[in-house]
Every structure is written in structure tokens, then in C-alpha cells.
Amino acid sequence: MKIRNRYAPSPTGLQHIGGIRTALFNYLFAKSQGGAFILRMEDTDRARSDPAFVQNLFDTFQWLGFHWDEGPDIGGLYEPYTQSQRTAFYQKAAQELLDKDKAYYCFCSAERLENLRKEREATHSGETGYDRLCRNIPKDLAKSRVKSGEPYVVRLKIPLGQSTRFHDHLLGDIEWKNEDVNPDPVLLKSDGFPTYHLANVVDDHLMDITHVLRAQEWLPSTPLHAIIYESFGWNMPQFCHLPMVMGSDGKKLSKRHGATSIDEFRRQGYLPEALLNYTALLGASYEEGKDIYTLEEFAASFNIDKLNKAPAVFDYKKLDWFNGLYIRTKTNEELAELALPYCKGLVKENSTLFIGAMALIKERISLLSEIPSKIAYLFEEPPLSEPSEFFPKKADLAKTVELLELGKPLASASYPKNDEEAEAFFKEEAEKVAAVAGVKIGDVMMPLRVAITGARVSPPLLGSLRLLGQEKALARVEKSLSLLKAASCR
Ligand code: GLU
């Protein structure tokens, strides 16, 4: 049997971590079995579906870098893959259930249903859903009412007095009393459009879907889906409801915890590889002791039997760690390319200086969005710091002026091209200054660092000096010296 599975989002919102995780697990499972992964657009909710969200989905997956084998954009043997273009299939299916007496016409007005709800609320009856009033209308009468143009919906005739059983790959056998299932839900709405339940089941059947891996929040719908399959006399796909993704407080991951939409992660400067790597680990186990995988490696070791039952906790810090790791695998040129959109206020285009700056910060960041503030001093003169900012520990203003004067040649030196030689030269010179001034080498660096970078904590000083060049570096030192000297005259 060839495995066929699908990601079936409703385009009613931005793509978020939970959805991506579902899509990714389906993809990895299909790839691990030589199967096909399908994208199906479930846009039955006409009011909430929006083409902008369809576009967001395409953009998101383009960015993430994994794709379906069949879908609305690329077609396939089971076209069309967008439910709003498949109405005829659902109408035919609803007719089939009507003919089999597994569904019935319902003529109840929205007003009647609203009154029913209010009445129940007032009497605290605890009952919800449809009261099955039209279930007893004789078939012929119902048909003639339809013929005469009376508005109707088609409802599923849930078999009463029995239970429905299905097997979930992860959760095992599940049994629901039919009385506890949504009472005779609508399959076809009065405008001829299907509800989610009908469209979902009909499409999984018509598209030969063998496995449904979906979020656990759909589990309460599954007994109903099982009844629909049974009513048609169709085999059910294998179900596997995936554990929820939670925040660190054990509540469903939401905006309160941090970014959830992929757009937001992207804006914050996460790399797609890092996001995919981390997401694929949410609730699944692969090889012992291995954290970093390519998509191909994930696919090779994905095992549906190694999914966790317990909810997965989304750890933003761990994701940051992954992101930092992936950032460090980039060459300076690649990183510059990725960083450019985040540095628009600072640089207009890629340059040797910009690429050089990447080498200085690569080891020190976990998000691309951290880059502009870290490298700004290389492109714009940093604002002059307060005199006390320049002071090494235990040094006063006079000593700081002396150290910066002595350190000036470090700024104006012409450094060897070779990194190691430059490093050795820099260290040697700094040690000389430290010996003359009777301080530690770090005390020589501090005022110089603040003069050059504008901050006490910065990317490596030598790298910064070399990138800035003698002229600019010296000018900054001179400027700082003037400030400090002016302060000592006060
Ligand atoms: N359209 C549903 C959703 O938005 C799909 C549920 C399923 O995968 O069956 O998630």
C-alpha cells in the first residue's frame, strides 16, 4: 500500500507552529515510507477564509523549504485540491447518504434553532445541538418540500443506541457512545456548501488518504467522522492524533508565550533550518543523542511508533540555541545576505565591511535581528560615552586618560593581513602598554574598546580596529581623549 497523507489547513489565519509541526510530521512520515504528501485547502468556512492566508501558506512553505507532492499550486491526479472547487463532489456524496437513509433533510430555520438554544439555556436543560425534529419527517414529504423550493440543510442521521469505535495509532482504541456525538450535525448547508466534516471525510476518501496525522484538538471530531465513513460504507484511514504543543506553563502555545506565527519567527530572525529542526523534535524521537538533522536525515529516521503521547513543550531558549548553531554554519557571505533585510536602516547593500562584520558577531548572536545593534558602530560613529564608562576597574579619570594615550598606537597600527600574525602583534603591543602603565592587559583594552565601539561589551576589539581602518579608529580615540581631558579640567 502506498502511503498517502495530507496537510489540510483552513486558510483562516497565519501559519503557526502547530500547523507546521503537523505538516512536517506528515511530510516526514510520507517520505520515510516512500509515500506522497498532499496539501489540501479546506476553505469551507467561506466567511473566514481569505486568499491572503493562502498566500501566507505558500510563502511560509517556500521559506521553510519543504513541499508537497500534490496540491492546489502544482496539481496532481486528484485535482482540484481546494475544497471550494469541489462542491459537486460533496453534493453527490450528501445525495448518496440521503439515498441510503443515512442523512435527512432539515427545514428548521435559524430562528427556530436560536429559540431552542435560548429555551434550553433558560431551563438549564444542559442539552446542546440539534433536537432532531426533522429526522422524523417522512422521506416523500421531505422530498416534496425540497422540490417546492423550501430552504433546507442535509443532516447526518447518527445511529442511536450504539457506540462508535476507532483506533488511533498513538492513543489506542477509542469508543464513544453515539448519543455523546454532536446530534445529527449538518453535512450540507443551505447554500449547497459542505460543512468541514463532510468535506474532510469525502476528500480523504476520494484522495485515497491512508493516514491522517492531525492535531489532537481534532480528536473530538473523529467519532463523528468515523460514523460518516461507516454511513458511506467506506474504510477509514488510519488516524494518529498528534500531542499538543504547549508553552512552558503547560497551557496551549499562544501569543502569551512568544511568537507563534511563522511570519513572526521570520521577522525575529530565525532561520528556516533551525525552526524546522526544532519543530521536528516536538513530540517525536529519532536517534539517541542526536539533535541536528537535515530534512533528509529526519525523513530517514522518522518513525510513527516513536511519537510521544505527552504534550510537547515549546522551549524558546532551545530554539534560540538551535538558531545560533545554524547561524554559525553560514559563511560570512551567506550570513551577510541573510542579515541584510534586518540592517536596512544601517546599510543599503552588501559590502566588504558588512561581510567582515559578520565574522565579528557570528559567535555572539542567536537571532538575525540582533545584528544591526551589534554592528552599528562599524557604520556610524557611536555616540560618545560618559567619561566613567571608559574607566577600567579601579582606575580613575587621570589613569584612564594615560591608558588611552598609551593605547593610541594600537588604534593607528597597521596590522598584518594574516589573522594569527595580527593577533600576535596586537597582543604584544598591548602587553607592552600594560607593562609601562603597570596594569593588566584588560585595563588597556577597556578605554580603547569604549572609544572604538561605544560600549564596554562589544565584538572583538582587534577585529573592529582592522575593519574600521587606522584613520577612523584613530579619530575615535582622539575624540574620546578630548572628551576625557575636558572632563578632567572641570
Ligand atoms: N481543516 C482542518 C484544520 O484546519 C483539518 C483537520 C484535519 O486535518 O482533518 O486543521
Side-chain angles (χ1 to χ4, degrees):
M1 175 183 65
K2 179 164 166 150
I3 301 279
R4 288 176 57 82
N5 64 16
R6 76 324 187 257
Y7 177 45
S10 302
T12 54
L14 296 174
Q15 290 298 302
H16 55 85
I17 280 292
I20 294 309
R21 206 263 312 242
T22 300
L24 187 56
F25 279 14
N26 274 286
Y27 172 87
L28 294 177
F29 180 51
K31 296 297 136 190
S32 73
Q33 303 294 311
F37 167 58
I38 288 116
L39 174 71
R40 185 172 73 226
M41 209 61 78
E42 298 212 325
D43 58 347
T44 49
D45 186 342
R46 303 306 297 148
R48 291 176 55 231
S49 293
D50 187 326
F53 294 132
V54 176
Q55 194 52 50
N56 174 259
L57 181 139
F58 289 145
D59 294 346
T60 299
F61 281 86
Q62 179 74 29
W63 180 72
L64 286 172
F66 74 101
H67 219 77
W68 34 90
D69 303 302
E70 300 165 28
D73 52 342
I74 51 170
L77 280 180
Y78 298 77
E79 293 183 303
Y81 292 89
T82 298
Q83 290 189 326
S84 57
Q85 296 164 18
R86 300 176 57 84
T87 317
F89 292 111
Y90 313 129
Q91 289 175 345
K92 186 165 167 259
Q95 190 57 53
E96 187 179 329
L97 290 185
L98 284 165
D99 294 344
K100 288 182 162 158
D101 204 20
K102 303 284 186 189
Y104 60 90
Y105 294 111
C106 167
F107 304 95
C108 291
S109 64
E111 197 190 348
R112 172 174 186 270
L113 297 178
E114 180 57 18
N115 287 339
L116 178 68
R117 196 188 59 77
K118 282 190 189 147
E119 219 175 274
R120 284 168 165 177
E121 207 174 75
T123 57
H124 303 288
S125 77
E127 283 171 297
T128 53
Y130 186 52
D131 62 357
R132 301 190 162 103
L133 181 74
C134 292
R135 185 167 167 139
N136 302 318
I137 300 176
K139 249 180 143 177
D140 288 343
L141 179 60
K143 269 191 192 158
S144 64
R145 283 174 73 173
V146 167
K147 255 205 188 119
S148 71
E150 199 173 331
Y152 66 89
V153 300
V154 176
R155 287 186 183 274
L156 180 68
K157 200 174 205 174
I158 300 236
L160 299 175
Q162 62 188 74
S163 296
T164 295
R165 238 168 266 116
F166 64 90
H167 182 77
D168 184 275
H169 191 85
L170 197 59
L171 307 172
D173 290 329
I174 295 178
E175 184 168 347
W176 280 55
K177 282 201 194 102
N178 284 8
E179 268 72 5
D180 294 339
V181 175
N182 180 357
D184 296 4
V186 174
L187 298 176
L188 207 60
K189 296 183 261 189
S190 56
D191 58 4
F193 266 95
T195 54
Y196 152 71
H197 301 295
L198 179 68
N200 185 271
V201 167
V202 167
D203 283 347
D204 280 344
H205 174 72
L206 293 181
M207 293 180 178
D208 287 334
I209 297 301
T210 58
H211 290 75
V212 171
L213 275 62
R214 64 181 174 192
Q216 233 166 63
E217 66 196 67
W218 296 103
L219 188 62
S221 300
T222 311
L224 173 58
H225 293 183
I227 296 173
I228 302 178
Y229 279 104
E230 236 169 65
S231 306
F232 279 112
W234 296 337
N235 287 332
M236 284 207 339
Q238 282 190 43
F239 281 98
C240 179
H241 288 90
L242 305 170
M244 305 280 274
V245 182
M246 306 287 200
S248 51
D249 56 359
K251 304 218 168 84
K252 190 181 167 190
L253 193 69
S254 75
K255 287 203 185 87
R256 282 182 302 116
H257 299 107
T260 54
S261 78
I262 306 305
D263 275 8
E264 178 99 39
F265 282 108
R266 199 172 165 178
R267 264 198 301 277
Q268 291 183 6
Y270 288 94
L271 300 183
E273 303 94 307
L275 202 56
L276 278 183
N277 197 141
Y278 183 60
T279 306
L281 298 172
L282 288 172
S285 316
Y286 303 83
E287 289 164 37
E288 275 293 314
K290 183 169 151 88
D291 276 332
I292 308 297
Y293 295 81
T294 62
L295 260 187
E296 291 71 29
E297 287 169 339
F298 268 129
S301 50
F302 185 88
N303 184 342
I304 197 169
D305 296 329
K306 284 198 190 167
L307 295 177
N308 302 338
K309 271 193 200 159
V313 175
F314 194 91
D315 181 346
Y316 287 87
K317 287 215 178 75
K318 190 88 195 271
L319 174 61
D320 286 358
W321 178 80
F322 272 103
N323 209 52
L325 221 59
Y326 276 97
I327 283 178
R328 286 183 268 294
T329 64
K330 303 287 172 195
T331 63
N332 296 335
E333 284 77 9
E334 287 166 343
L335 188 56
E337 204 58 52
L338 291 165
L340 200 58
Y342 297 83
C343 300
K344 281 280 180 259
L346 207 56
V347 292
K348 290 201 172 46
E349 56 195 7
N350 237 326
S351 63
T352 323
L353 176 59
F354 190 58
I355 294 171
M358 298 301 123
L360 293 191
I361 45 96
K362 211 194 255 183
E363 299 293 329
R364 297 177 157 69
I365 54 161
S366 48
L367 295 175
L368 297 177
S369 56
E370 291 170 53
I371 295 179
S373 65
K374 287 231 165 14
I375 62 169
Y377 71 95
L378 292 169
F379 299 87
E380 305 163 341
E381 232 175 81
L384 274 180
S385 302
E386 282 295 309
S388 62
E389 281 291 297
F390 290 79
F391 296 6
K393 261 192 213 145
K394 289 192 233 151
D396 60 7
L397 182 56
K399 187 71 184 172
T400 306
V401 172
E402 181 198 337
L403 289 173
L404 192 52
E405 280 285 7
L406 286 170
K408 211 172 11 174
L410 287 167
S412 57
S414 126
Y415 287 98
K417 283 246 173 317
N418 175 286
D419 287 350
E420 273 160 34
E421 285 172 27
E423 189 71 52
F425 178 78
F426 180 70
K427 202 163 164 240
E428 206 174 300
E429 291 303 305
E431 264 162 7
K432 275 189 214 157
V433 174
V436 172
V439 296
K440 289 196 188 118
I441 197 164
D443 297 341
V444 180
M445 300 294 176
M446 183 54 80
L448 196 55
R449 182 184 300 281
V450 178
I452 297 298
T453 70
R456 294 174 72 87
V457 179
S458 75
L461 184 53
L462 171 61
S464 306
L465 289 169
R466 289 169 86 196
L467 277 179
L468 274 177
Q470 293 157 278
E471 201 182 315
K472 276 192 189 154
L474 190 58
R476 287 187 188 184
V477 173
E478 294 290 11
K479 216 172 176 180
S480 297
L481 271 173
S482 309
L483 170 96
L484 293 174
K485 283 177 183 165
S488 31
C489 296
R490 263 190 252 134

